[in-house]
Each structure stands twice: as structure tokens, then as C-alpha cells.
Amino acid sequence: MARFLGRVDDDSVHFFDPLPAGVEVHGFRPHGEVCHQMASADLNLLLLEQVEKAPWLFTGKVFEYFGAGRPILMIGPPDCPLADMVRESGLGRVCSNESALIARELTDYLEGKWTVQPNREFLARFDVRRQTAKLAEIFAKL
């Protein structure tokens, strides 16, 4: 079963009509529900628009995915800083927006060829408690 949660923009809605068997599109959901779905997902999909003049473009969703600790497939520019972070996290793989590459990654995942080994030291840098403590230290120095 593939579940897509979140708003589908008007330019993409045609991809979901008609829905293939085993695919659900749920649209906007409350944040708590989305976090629960991310944490229980077999694989989280991270889509990043390929903006050549902005390789530093980040989506905050990656940090939620890191917190969920589940495997990630990022589809986007393979040589951008966000792709490096996904690889360094030990949680995921990155492939460009080419259907053959995406199909290969999904097939490898389904056949158990992925090895997910979370880089705990890397991921700890993004823990909200750790970030809050660092921010408190900065404020204390002011």
C-alpha cells in the first residue's frame, strides 16, 4: 500500500486520476497524524524540486523524517547539500527524477537490498532538545 499525505498541487493532481490499486491519496492531514504516519512508514518519500540556481534549497520535512528514523528515498538533485545529508544520515538513498532510477531504487528496497544503518551521531545534531539547549546557551551569552 502506498499512502500519499499532503496537498497535491493542481499541476500534479492528474497523476492520481484514476488511482491505481494499492494507492491512497489523503490530502492535508493534521501534523500529529502525519508524524505518526512517518514514524510507522516502511519508506518515506522525500521529493525535492531540482532548482539549479538554489542547490542549498532545503525542505524542513527532512528533519521530521530524520526524527522518525525510518528509511528515506529522496528524489531530487543527487549532488545537493540535502542529498548529502540524507546519505550521511544512514537512513536513505538519493536518486534523480528519472523513472528508471526511481523504479530501480524502489525494487531494491522491496527486495531487501537496502541497508539502513542510522548514523546516530549525525542524527543527534538535529534532536529538538539538543537544538533547544544550544539556543539557550546562545541566549545566556547575550
Side-chain angles (χ1 to χ4, degrees):
M1 173 67 62
R3 288 187 187 93
F4 293 91
L5 290 92
R7 190 180 76 76
V8 178
D9 66 42
D10 293 339
D11 293 334
S12 302
V13 73
H14 69 278
F15 290 115
F16 296 98
D17 186 28
L19 285 176
V23 175
E24 297 176 357
V25 177
H26 293 278
F28 177 81
R29 289 289 188 248
H31 188 256
E33 181 182 336
V34 171
C35 289
H36 173 74
Q37 291 287 333
M38 283 186 286
S40 62
D42 292 321
L43 178 67
N44 283 303
L45 178 64
L46 181 64
L47 302 173
L48 184 64
E49 186 175 353
Q50 303 203 17
V51 180
E52 295 199 21
K53 294 186 180 193
W56 39 264
L57 183 65
F58 274 57
T59 173
K61 186 64 62 191
V62 72
F63 301 106
E64 292 179 336
Y65 282 4
F66 287 168
R70 305 298 301 148
I72 301 167
L73 174 59
M74 178 184 144
I75 299 172
D79 57 352
C80 72
L82 185 58
D84 294 339
M85 289 177 67
V86 168
R87 285 188 285 265
E88 189 173 352
S89 75
L91 292 174
R93 292 192 181 180
V94 177
C95 69
S96 61
N97 190 13
E98 297 175 41
S99 57
L101 296 175
I102 297 166
R104 186 184 75 216
E105 289 294 346
L106 290 172
T107 299
D108 285 354
Y109 177 79
L110 291 170
E111 292 177 352
K113 296 178 182 174
W114 275 34
T115 302
V116 175
Q117 296 180 329
N119 180 342
R120 303 279 181 220
E121 185 177 331
F122 174 80
L123 293 169
R125 296 179 4 200
F126 305 107
D127 178 76
V128 68
R129 290 173 293 278
R130 187 171 179 177
Q131 292 293 313
T132 303
K134 283 185 171 187
L135 186 58
E137 287 175 19
I138 292 169
F139 283 134
K141 292 178 183 178
L142 296 177

